[in-house]
Amino acid sequence: MLSLFKKKLIKISVCVPVCGTQKLLPACLESICSQNFCGFEIIVVDDEGIGRLKEKELNTKKILKEFCKKHKSPNFCVKLVQHEKNKGLVEARRSAVYAAAGKYIMFVDSDDFLLPDALSALYEIAEKNGADIVHGRAKVKTEQDLKNLSEKDKKFLENRILEITKKITNVFAGTDCRAEGFLCKDEILNGFLVQRNHCGFLWAKLFERELCLNAFEKIPPVYCVFAEDFLVYFFLAFYAKKYAGIKNEVYSYCVDTGISSEKKIYSLEQWKKVCSAASASTVLLDFVQKKDIEAKNLTEAEIEELKKTCRYYARNNLEQLKKAVIPELQLQAYEELCEWWGKEMIKSVEK
């Protein structure tokens, strides 16, 4: 998959995890390769699992083969990492970071897009200011034309876009999603957890690879596809030395337009993915409660906010159980929920 590109020339590794989103991957790759930046690699991590891949006509390896035939550029190269089995988003991103050759890492979801000049804008600020986190602006996009939907589905999608937009712009805190300007050391974690002056999504940010390695060293192998950004960004913010928030729009977040998939959960396999938010909370609470030697650097306010967020995810899972899981699976789903979170936590959020 590699072009005639020397490893030492790679400045940024753009990491793209893929699992069940192969049909959207080509458009994502096009947005990355069209960057006016010389010296980056695209690392695609296929988390589908080898067995499941064989069952699919459209697989990641074929997509990348066609992509590389189409784009023979001296500006970038492409690398594929395949998991033997599905490991979840945290492990897909870990694999990408370990395989990366660049000084910096950028995470891009396979159903999203990089905006023009994104890599140049982020890299310039990182190098000029010695920032190990550079945070640009993101915008929300939907691929589906609202006028082609029924009134019921149109209303649902409009509400979904509003919900995502609020998360991105951090409306509840009355601020943008990023803290414009600079934050240093302890200000970064405190700003994220307590002041909420910037969000914890991994996209729209550039990270130093060394910072990512430090963060993943604290995260044990874990299956997690929900709350995974919160888990990883906590440790990134914990170890970061300098954060820079910039005005440039660098990322397009695409709202899931699979409307029916937002309404109901029909299988325990689907439900287990939702419950995996408990894995993120377990790692974070263990870090605090087992009194990791470095956890002593956290303030009481930060610990309290961390615990509140973990409880929020547990409560959110419980609400999803009541609203989304089909009646036939309710009992089994509740037992599964208690298995992931522990009965004590679920009983406490039920009150």
Side-chain angles (χ1 to χ4, degrees), residues 42 45 79 98 105 121 124 151-152 171 174 180 198 212 245 273 288 294:
I42 304 172
V45 180
K79 187 184 298 181
Y98 288 175
I105 299 286
E124 181 182 350
E151 285 303 314
K152 183 179 179 181
V171 166
E180 196 169 306
H198 70 285
C212 294
K273 291 182 178 180
V288 174
E294 291 183 293

PDB file of all heavy atoms in Angstrom, residues 42 45 79 98 105 121 124 151-152 171 174 180 198 212 245 273 288 294:
ATOM      1  N   ILE A  42      -1.852   8.097   5.379  1.00  0.00           N
ATOM      2  CA  ILE A  42      -3.204   7.712   5.788  1.00  0.00           C
ATOM      3  C   ILE A  42      -3.123   6.287   6.317  1.00  0.00           C
ATOM      4  O   ILE A  42      -2.719   5.374   5.590  1.00  0.00           O
ATOM      5  CB  ILE A  42      -4.189   7.772   4.609  1.00  0.00           C
ATOM      6  CG1 ILE A  42      -4.193   9.160   3.960  1.00  0.00           C
ATOM      7  CG2 ILE A  42      -5.599   7.397   5.082  1.00  0.00           C
ATOM      8  CD1 ILE A  42      -5.001   9.231   2.668  1.00  0.00           C
ATOM      9  N   VAL A  45      -7.364   1.526   9.703  1.00  0.00           N
ATOM     10  CA  VAL A  45      -7.415   0.342  10.568  1.00  0.00           C
ATOM     11  C   VAL A  45      -8.746  -0.352  10.358  1.00  0.00           C
ATOM     12  O   VAL A  45      -9.795   0.202  10.670  1.00  0.00           O
ATOM     13  CB  VAL A  45      -7.240   0.709  12.055  1.00  0.00           C
ATOM     14  CG1 VAL A  45      -7.303  -0.552  12.919  1.00  0.00           C
ATOM     15  CG2 VAL A  45      -5.930   1.444  12.281  1.00  0.00           C
ATOM     16  N   LYS A  79      -1.448   3.215   4.343  1.00  0.00           N
ATOM     17  CA  LYS A  79      -1.091   1.997   5.085  1.00  0.00           C
ATOM     18  C   LYS A  79      -2.379   1.348   5.609  1.00  0.00           C
ATOM     19  O   LYS A  79      -3.278   2.041   6.096  1.00  0.00           O
ATOM     20  CB  LYS A  79      -0.167   2.365   6.239  1.00  0.00           C
ATOM     21  CG  LYS A  79       0.421   1.181   7.006  1.00  0.00           C
ATOM     22  CD  LYS A  79       1.237   1.675   8.199  1.00  0.00           C
ATOM     23  CE  LYS A  79       2.417   2.528   7.766  1.00  0.00           C
ATOM     24  NZ  LYS A  79       3.215   2.984   8.938  1.00  0.00           N
ATOM     25  N   TYR A  98       0.225   3.197  17.107  1.00  0.00           N
ATOM     26  CA  TYR A  98       1.432   2.361  17.148  1.00  0.00           C
ATOM     27  C   TYR A  98       2.052   2.191  15.759  1.00  0.00           C
ATOM     28  O   TYR A  98       3.272   2.061  15.625  1.00  0.00           O
ATOM     29  CB  TYR A  98       1.110   0.991  17.744  1.00  0.00           C
ATOM     30  CG  TYR A  98       0.857   0.997  19.237  1.00  0.00           C
ATOM     31  CD1 TYR A  98       0.455  -0.150  19.901  1.00  0.00           C
ATOM     32  CD2 TYR A  98       1.015   2.154  19.996  1.00  0.00           C
ATOM     33  CE1 TYR A  98       0.212  -0.157  21.281  1.00  0.00           C
ATOM     34  CE2 TYR A  98       0.773   2.163  21.361  1.00  0.00           C
ATOM     35  CZ  TYR A  98       0.377   1.006  21.994  1.00  0.00           C
ATOM     36  OH  TYR A  98       0.138   1.016  23.354  1.00  0.00           O
ATOM     37  N   ILE A 105      -0.558  13.124  15.047  1.00  0.00           N
ATOM     38  CA  ILE A 105      -1.663  12.209  14.762  1.00  0.00           C
ATOM     39  C   ILE A 105      -2.936  13.016  14.579  1.00  0.00           C
ATOM     40  O   ILE A 105      -3.212  13.945  15.344  1.00  0.00           O
ATOM     41  CB  ILE A 105      -1.890  11.222  15.935  1.00  0.00           C
ATOM     42  CG1 ILE A 105      -0.649  10.360  16.185  1.00  0.00           C
ATOM     43  CG2 ILE A 105      -3.136  10.373  15.697  1.00  0.00           C
ATOM     44  CD1 ILE A 105      -0.401   9.290  15.181  1.00  0.00           C
ATOM     45  N   ALA A 121      -3.276  24.041   8.331  1.00  0.00           N
ATOM     46  CA  ALA A 121      -3.630  24.970   9.410  1.00  0.00           C
ATOM     47  C   ALA A 121      -3.236  24.417  10.772  1.00  0.00           C
ATOM     48  O   ALA A 121      -2.662  25.132  11.613  1.00  0.00           O
ATOM     49  CB  ALA A 121      -5.128  25.267   9.365  1.00  0.00           C
ATOM     50  N   GLU A 124       0.776  24.008  11.131  1.00  0.00           N
ATOM     51  CA  GLU A 124       1.473  25.294  11.271  1.00  0.00           C
ATOM     52  C   GLU A 124       1.418  25.805  12.709  1.00  0.00           C
ATOM     53  O   GLU A 124       2.421  26.250  13.257  1.00  0.00           O
ATOM     54  CB  GLU A 124       0.852  26.325  10.331  1.00  0.00           C
ATOM     55  CG  GLU A 124       1.533  27.683  10.388  1.00  0.00           C
ATOM     56  CD  GLU A 124       0.877  28.712   9.482  1.00  0.00           C
ATOM     57  OE1 GLU A 124       0.007  28.338   8.667  1.00  0.00           O
ATOM     58  OE2 GLU A 124       1.231  29.902   9.594  1.00  0.00           O
ATOM     59  N   GLU A 151     -42.503  13.644   6.968  1.00  0.00           N
ATOM     60  CA  GLU A 151     -42.506  14.692   7.996  1.00  0.00           C
ATOM     61  C   GLU A 151     -41.985  14.157   9.331  1.00  0.00           C
ATOM     62  O   GLU A 151     -41.254  14.839  10.043  1.00  0.00           O
ATOM     63  CB  GLU A 151     -43.926  15.253   8.173  1.00  0.00           C
ATOM     64  CG  GLU A 151     -44.377  16.164   7.060  1.00  0.00           C
ATOM     65  CD  GLU A 151     -43.437  17.353   6.872  1.00  0.00           C
ATOM     66  OE1 GLU A 151     -43.065  17.981   7.878  1.00  0.00           O
ATOM     67  OE2 GLU A 151     -43.072  17.646   5.719  1.00  0.00           O
ATOM     68  N   LYS A 152     -42.361  12.918   9.639  1.00  0.00           N
ATOM     69  CA  LYS A 152     -41.919  12.308  10.900  1.00  0.00           C
ATOM     70  C   LYS A 152     -40.408  12.127  10.913  1.00  0.00           C
ATOM     71  O   LYS A 152     -39.730  12.484  11.887  1.00  0.00           O
ATOM     72  CB  LYS A 152     -42.608  10.957  11.090  1.00  0.00           C
ATOM     73  CG  LYS A 152     -42.263  10.270  12.406  1.00  0.00           C
ATOM     74  CD  LYS A 152     -43.016   8.947  12.534  1.00  0.00           C
ATOM     75  CE  LYS A 152     -42.656   8.243  13.830  1.00  0.00           C
ATOM     76  NZ  LYS A 152     -43.361   6.935  13.951  1.00  0.00           N
ATOM     77  N   VAL A 171     -23.006  24.173  23.686  1.00  0.00           N
ATOM     78  CA  VAL A 171     -23.967  25.216  24.012  1.00  0.00           C
ATOM     79  C   VAL A 171     -24.262  25.279  25.503  1.00  0.00           C
ATOM     80  O   VAL A 171     -24.459  26.348  26.077  1.00  0.00           O
ATOM     81  CB  VAL A 171     -25.280  24.988  23.219  1.00  0.00           C
ATOM     82  CG1 VAL A 171     -26.411  25.836  23.768  1.00  0.00           C
ATOM     83  CG2 VAL A 171     -25.053  25.302  21.752  1.00  0.00           C
ATOM     84  N   GLY A 174     -22.154  27.617  27.003  1.00  0.00           N
ATOM     85  CA  GLY A 174     -22.174  28.955  26.436  1.00  0.00           C
ATOM     86  C   GLY A 174     -20.909  29.309  25.684  1.00  0.00           C
ATOM     87  O   GLY A 174     -20.583  30.482  25.522  1.00  0.00           O
ATOM     88  N   GLU A 180     -10.489  29.110  22.351  1.00  0.00           N
ATOM     89  CA  GLU A 180      -9.644  29.845  21.422  1.00  0.00           C
ATOM     90  C   GLU A 180      -8.432  30.410  22.157  1.00  0.00           C
ATOM     91  O   GLU A 180      -8.559  30.969  23.247  1.00  0.00           O
ATOM     92  CB  GLU A 180     -10.439  30.972  20.763  1.00  0.00           C
ATOM     93  CG  GLU A 180      -9.770  31.528  19.525  1.00  0.00           C
ATOM     94  CD  GLU A 180     -10.694  32.445  18.763  1.00  0.00           C
ATOM     95  OE1 GLU A 180     -11.817  32.012  18.433  1.00  0.00           O
ATOM     96  OE2 GLU A 180     -10.292  33.594  18.516  1.00  0.00           O
ATOM     97  N   HIS A 198     -13.758  23.485  26.295  1.00  0.00           N
ATOM     98  CA  HIS A 198     -13.576  22.791  25.022  1.00  0.00           C
ATOM     99  C   HIS A 198     -14.037  21.350  25.165  1.00  0.00           C
ATOM    100  O   HIS A 198     -14.098  20.810  26.261  1.00  0.00           O
ATOM    101  CB  HIS A 198     -12.125  22.860  24.529  1.00  0.00           C
ATOM    102  CG  HIS A 198     -11.143  22.066  25.332  1.00  0.00           C
ATOM    103  ND1 HIS A 198     -10.683  22.460  26.576  1.00  0.00           N
ATOM    104  CD2 HIS A 198     -10.510  20.893  25.068  1.00  0.00           C
ATOM    105  CE1 HIS A 198      -9.812  21.577  27.029  1.00  0.00           C
ATOM    106  NE2 HIS A 198      -9.699  20.614  26.139  1.00  0.00           N
ATOM    107  N   CYS A 212       0.025  10.828  22.427  1.00  0.00           N
ATOM    108  CA  CYS A 212      -0.898   9.699  22.234  1.00  0.00           C
ATOM    109  C   CYS A 212      -0.339   8.418  22.842  1.00  0.00           C
ATOM    110  O   CYS A 212      -1.071   7.637  23.468  1.00  0.00           O
ATOM    111  CB  CYS A 212      -1.182   9.494  20.753  1.00  0.00           C
ATOM    112  SG  CYS A 212      -2.092  10.841  19.976  1.00  0.00           S
ATOM    113  N   GLY A 245      -6.287  26.505  20.505  1.00  0.00           N
ATOM    114  CA  GLY A 245      -7.574  26.514  19.821  1.00  0.00           C
ATOM    115  C   GLY A 245      -7.539  27.533  18.706  1.00  0.00           C
ATOM    116  O   GLY A 245      -7.163  28.684  18.928  1.00  0.00           O
ATOM    117  N   LYS A 273     -22.735  -3.162  22.375  1.00  0.00           N
ATOM    118  CA  LYS A 273     -21.926  -2.025  21.930  1.00  0.00           C
ATOM    119  C   LYS A 273     -22.298  -0.772  22.704  1.00  0.00           C
ATOM    120  O   LYS A 273     -21.432   0.021  23.083  1.00  0.00           O
ATOM    121  CB  LYS A 273     -22.110  -1.809  20.422  1.00  0.00           C
ATOM    122  CG  LYS A 273     -21.496  -2.907  19.576  1.00  0.00           C
ATOM    123  CD  LYS A 273     -21.669  -2.633  18.096  1.00  0.00           C
ATOM    124  CE  LYS A 273     -21.008  -3.726  17.268  1.00  0.00           C
ATOM    125  NZ  LYS A 273     -21.148  -3.492  15.814  1.00  0.00           N
ATOM    126  N   VAL A 288      -8.657   6.688  39.253  1.00  0.00           N
ATOM    127  CA  VAL A 288      -8.850   7.575  40.408  1.00  0.00           C
ATOM    128  C   VAL A 288      -8.931   6.789  41.710  1.00  0.00           C
ATOM    129  O   VAL A 288      -8.236   7.085  42.684  1.00  0.00           O
ATOM    130  CB  VAL A 288     -10.138   8.410  40.231  1.00  0.00           C
ATOM    131  CG1 VAL A 288     -10.427   9.216  41.492  1.00  0.00           C
ATOM    132  CG2 VAL A 288     -10.002   9.338  39.033  1.00  0.00           C
ATOM    133  N   GLU A 294      -0.107   8.939  39.729  1.00  0.00           N
ATOM    134  CA  GLU A 294      -0.275  10.201  39.013  1.00  0.00           C
ATOM    135  C   GLU A 294      -1.646  10.825  39.240  1.00  0.00           C
ATOM    136  O   GLU A 294      -1.841  12.015  38.985  1.00  0.00           O
ATOM    137  CB  GLU A 294      -0.036   9.986  37.519  1.00  0.00           C
ATOM    138  CG  GLU A 294       1.412   9.672  37.179  1.00  0.00           C
ATOM    139  CD  GLU A 294       1.625   9.525  35.689  1.00  0.00           C
ATOM    140  OE1 GLU A 294       1.083   8.559  35.123  1.00  0.00           O
ATOM    141  OE2 GLU A 294       2.325  10.368  35.114  1.00  0.00           O
TER     142      GLU A 294
END
